[in-house]
Amino acid sequence: MAESGRQPPPEPLEDACPTTHNFMIPKKEINTVPDMGKWKRSQAYADYIGFILTLNEGVKGKKLTCEYKVSEEAENLVATVIPSHLAAAVPEVALYLKESVGNSTRIDYGTGHEAAFAAFLCCLCKIGVLRVDDQIAIVFKVFNRYLEVMRKLQKTYRMEPAGSQGVWGLDDFQFLPFIWGSSQLIEHPYLEPRHFVDEKAVNENHKDYMFLECILFITEMKTGPFAEHSNQLWNISAVPSWSKVNQGLIRMYKAECLEKFPVIQHFKFGSLLPIQPVTSGR
């Protein structure tokens, strides 16, 4: 079975009346390496990875410039963020947004901050502000705009990569746009993985594909041969198909981000993304 079919999307709280749901300020729960077992068994992990894979399926084979449905709730999100009848959820959901823009003391940013923004979007889905129909817009409109803001901050403040593996990591700052970007390119009529190291191909197609936009940003920020400053990506360019790239990146994301204590120790858990184990009844 393909990776994308292994996790169900997070369930919305539509069955629970917002006035009776007990929202809470998310807090740290992963304090030692042995605590990682709690994380992998948690409802938060199941909902988070389910959300990532649902969006991965939603953008498969689609351009950033394609037409997509945006629900009325999502359109109003810019103005109201969270409707008044869900006001009690604001402190819980807002914490993930606050954690998504890097550390103001260390002036650093990495995949843990990126995960906080994905968790923010996941929470908006769980309280019904965003809908299943919005999955393409969540990636192309909201998350892509977040990427633009973070790239501007990275350029302006020269933010340090948080927990970077250097030349052996996929990227200093991001991971999710490579996953969703590779999904966009599955079954593309002519662009193959080998083309993303081709400057001409990147320049001509980056506005349509998140993966190529990431490659362009890397080449703007780094100097020297691509194979030297981005060795992991260089190796990925030899993979024969985008579907294999996509599946490999999902496995890599789980192993290198979601299963690494230095990343997950900062993740916060609340009522929407709880540390409690997955229950068989869900």
Side-chain angles (χ1 to χ4, degrees):
M1 183 182 291
E3 285 280 344
S4 56
R6 291 181 180 170
Q7 295 279 354
E11 294 183 7
L13 294 177
E14 291 169 355
D15 294 336
C17 176
T19 58
T20 60
H21 182 82
N22 294 318
F23 293 102
M24 61 181 283
I25 303 294
K27 60 181 182 178
K28 284 185 63 171
E29 297 280 1
I30 308 302
N31 299 305
T32 64
V33 173
D35 287 340
M36 290 295 289
K38 289 196 298 183
W39 156 244
K40 291 191 69 177
R41 293 189 297 270
S42 72
Q43 191 64 56
Y45 179 90
D47 286 348
Y48 180 84
I49 196 64
F51 179 69
I52 298 303
L53 297 180
T54 297
L55 297 183
N56 187 61
E57 281 295 303
V59 301
K60 186 178 290 183
K62 296 179 176 66
K63 294 182 178 181
L64 285 170
T65 51
C66 77
E67 293 185 4
Y68 46 81
K69 180 178 179 180
V70 184
S71 72
E72 186 177 346
E73 289 87 349
E75 283 292 337
N76 293 334
L77 182 63
V78 175
T80 61
V81 185
I82 293 178
S84 58
H85 70 280
L86 289 171
V90 170
E92 179 167 347
V93 176
L95 183 133
Y96 293 107
L97 182 60
K98 292 175 185 175
E99 301 248 321
S100 71
V101 292
N103 186 284
S104 59
T105 303
R106 297 189 301 269
I107 318 295
D108 67 358
Y109 173 85
T111 52
H113 302 103
E114 178 189 69
F117 190 76
F120 166 69
L121 296 176
C122 183
C123 287
L124 291 180
C125 287
K126 295 198 75 173
I127 64 175
V129 173
L130 295 172
R131 307 287 184 179
V132 174
D133 288 345
D134 295 322
Q135 56 187 261
I136 301 174
I138 289 170
V139 177
F140 290 176
K141 192 169 187 177
V142 184
F143 186 83
N144 202 47
R145 179 59 181 148
Y146 164 74
L147 279 182
E148 291 173 3
V149 172
M150 293 316 304
R151 284 170 180 154
K152 184 171 289 188
L153 290 175
Q154 289 158 26
K155 282 184 174 180
T156 303
Y157 297 103
R158 291 290 169 179
M159 299 172 79
E160 289 293 321
S164 172
Q165 294 176 294
V167 68
W168 303 112
L170 183 73
D171 180 68
D172 285 342
F173 301 110
Q174 316 292 161
F175 205 116
L176 292 177
F178 289 96
I179 294 176
W180 294 331
S182 61
S183 182
Q184 282 184 273
L185 287 157
I186 290 174
E187 297 184 1
H188 192 281
Y190 59 86
L191 285 175
E192 299 174 2
R194 62 187 175 88
H195 289 120
F196 77 73
V197 293
D198 181 308
E199 184 179 353
K200 183 173 182 290
V202 171
N203 288 336
E204 291 177 353
N205 297 281
H206 71 91
K207 291 182 180 179
D208 286 328
Y209 299 103
M210 297 180 82
F211 196 106
L212 301 185
E213 194 72 54
C214 289
I215 299 299
L216 182 65
F217 184 70
I218 288 171
T219 58
E220 289 174 350
M221 296 292 287
K222 296 187 176 184
T223 58
F226 191 89
E228 292 182 10
H229 63 60
S230 301
N231 187 260
Q232 277 276 23
L233 284 167
W234 177 262
N235 292 335
I236 289 171
S237 70
V239 176
S241 70
W242 285 111
S243 61
K244 288 187 179 298
V245 170
N246 185 247
Q247 291 170 23
L249 287 174
I250 291 169
R251 289 193 296 270
M252 187 177 176
Y253 184 62
K254 291 177 179 178
E256 299 300 325
C257 296
L258 300 187
E259 296 177 11
K260 294 296 186 186
F261 175 72
V263 176
I264 299 305
Q265 66 174 325
H266 301 295
F267 197 89
K268 305 290 174 58
F269 301 85
S271 71
L272 297 172
L273 293 172
I275 190 62
Q276 286 72 25
V278 174
T279 55
S280 57
R282 283 182 61 113

